[in-house]
């Protein structure tokens, strides 16, 4: 929680900001030997989809990590996971479920060991998004060795044990968190994932009812929720 005091989230929407995101993605994926095959750029059309939300995470005002989230619905099925797990995504959407699909997760290797909680802080917007959109599932397409982390932290269940991906030439495991059955205990165990209504609106509001302009920076509100100064996500209403 104390690290959140020095964190800013920024919704990336300008070409100038995307340059920094592309460099960070390349640096991180190169270090992990996960550069997508035949990819001309680390920025793609999916970054500009109307249901996509790209975030830069700044620690002491320095870009240290990034993530892209897709709000996937039966009416808007575009998602990163559909490229590797089309059968699973089709089954979810046929059942009428709505999904938060994280992708392009990248933490600057130079900060990964210095700030060991960065993976939690970078993945936090996926939980904030689940509350904002009242999503049924949060997906985690991950490398098999990382599956235990998502099972432990996010109460994620394994949907597909292993599947080879053409784009990366590596195997991926598909995990999924059922927000309705785990949301309350997840936020109770990890209160820094919680958020106030205004933070959710700043992160994901677009169109009717949104803020007039995209906020330059978004400060985490978890500490205010924990202190009882504002209300956090509520079971039965937000998840």
């Amino acid at each position: 929680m104390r690290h959140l005091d020095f964190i800013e989230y920024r919704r990336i929407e300008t070409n100038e900001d995307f340059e920094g995101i592309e460099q960070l993605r390349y640096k991180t994926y190169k270090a992990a030997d996960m550069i997508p095959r035949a990819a001309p750029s680390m920025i793609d059309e999916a970054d500009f989809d109307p249901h996509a939300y790209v975030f830069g995470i700044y620690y002491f005002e320095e870009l240290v990590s990034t993530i892209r989230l897709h709000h996937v619905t039966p009416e808007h099925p575009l998602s990163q996971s559909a490229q590797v797990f089309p059968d699973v995504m089709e089954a979810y959407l046929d059942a009428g479920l709505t999904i938060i699909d994280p992708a392009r997760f990248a933490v600057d290797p130079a900060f990964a060991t210095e700030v060991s909680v960065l993976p939690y802080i970078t993945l936090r917007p996926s939980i904030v998004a689940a509350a904002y959109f009242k999503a049924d599932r949060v997906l985690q397409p991950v490398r098999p060795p990382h599956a235990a982390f998502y099972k432990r932290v996010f109460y994620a269940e394994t949907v597909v044990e292993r599947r080879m991906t053409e784009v990366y030439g590596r195997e991926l495991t598909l995990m999924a968190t059922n927000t309705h059955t785990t949301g309350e205990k997840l936020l109770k165990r990890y209160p820094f994932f919680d958020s106030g209504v205004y933070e959710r609106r700043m992160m994901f509001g677009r169109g009717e009812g949104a803020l007039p302009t995209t906020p330059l920076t978004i400060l985490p509100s978890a500490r205010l929720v924990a202190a009882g100064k504002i209300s956090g996500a509520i079971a039965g209403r937000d998840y």
Side-chain angles (χ1 to χ4, degrees):
M1 188 75 83
R2 65 183 178 82
H3 283 286
L4 288 182
D5 292 339
F6 311 109
I7 289 291
E8 298 175 8
Y9 293 99
R10 298 182 190 176
R11 207 163 80 191
I12 306 301
E13 297 191 338
T14 68
N15 290 334
E16 181 179 355
D17 287 337
F18 266 110
E19 290 180 5
I21 296 299
E22 180 175 26
Q23 292 171 7
L24 177 55
R25 285 177 179 175
Y26 182 84
K27 180 180 181 180
T28 303
Y29 280 53
K30 180 72 172 177
D33 193 24
M34 287 285 288
I35 296 291
R37 294 179 173 181
S41 170
M42 292 300 291
I43 302 296
D44 56 39
E45 292 183 0
D47 286 310
F48 305 97
D49 180 76
H51 279 221
Y53 299 82
V54 180
F55 291 98
I57 293 84
Y58 292 76
Y59 185 63
F60 286 100
E61 301 185 355
E62 185 168 357
L63 178 64
V64 294
S65 63
T66 180
I67 195 167
R68 180 179 76 204
L69 306 175
H70 265 98
H71 176 219
V72 190
T73 68
E75 297 76 27
H76 198 97
L78 180 68
S79 72
Q80 181 83 4
S81 291
Q83 298 179 24
V84 182
F85 307 100
D87 51 335
V88 176
M89 295 301 294
E90 184 176 350
Y92 279 147
L93 297 178
D94 285 348
L97 301 184
T98 59
I99 298 162
I100 302 302
D101 186 30
R104 293 291 194 251
F105 174 88
V107 175
D108 191 328
F111 289 89
T113 55
E114 178 183 341
V115 188
S116 60
V117 297
L118 272 180
Y120 297 85
I121 291 171
T122 307
L123 291 164
R124 182 177 173 271
S126 67
I127 304 302
V128 178
Y132 181 83
F133 292 109
K134 301 177 174 60
D136 300 295
R137 298 288 187 277
V138 176
L139 299 186
Q140 298 98 8
V142 301
R143 296 172 66 177
H146 299 161
F149 167 82
Y150 289 88
K151 181 178 181 179
R152 183 180 72 254
V153 176
F154 295 97
Y155 301 104
E157 298 178 351
T158 301
V159 181
V160 178
E161 187 73 35
R162 292 172 180 266
R163 184 170 295 178
M164 180 59 69
T165 65
E166 293 184 7
V167 65
Y168 296 113
R170 295 286 189 89
E171 287 185 325
L172 287 182
T173 296
L174 182 64
M175 314 283 290
T177 297
N178 185 325
T179 57
H180 305 304
T181 60
T182 66
E184 187 170 11
K185 64 180 180 180
L186 172 65
L187 296 181
K188 185 176 181 179
R189 183 179 181 187
Y190 298 107
F192 54 83
F193 283 138
D194 211 342
S195 59
V197 172
Y198 192 66
E199 182 189 0
R200 286 176 236 150
R201 185 183 176 199
M202 287 195 295
M203 274 195 169
F204 299 104
R206 281 178 180 162
E208 185 177 353
L211 299 176
T213 59
T214 301
L216 175 62
T217 185
I218 304 163
L219 301 179
S221 57
R223 188 181 289 278
L224 295 176
V225 175
K229 295 182 179 180
I230 61 174
S231 296
I234 298 174
R237 184 193 71 184
D238 302 310
Y239 54 86

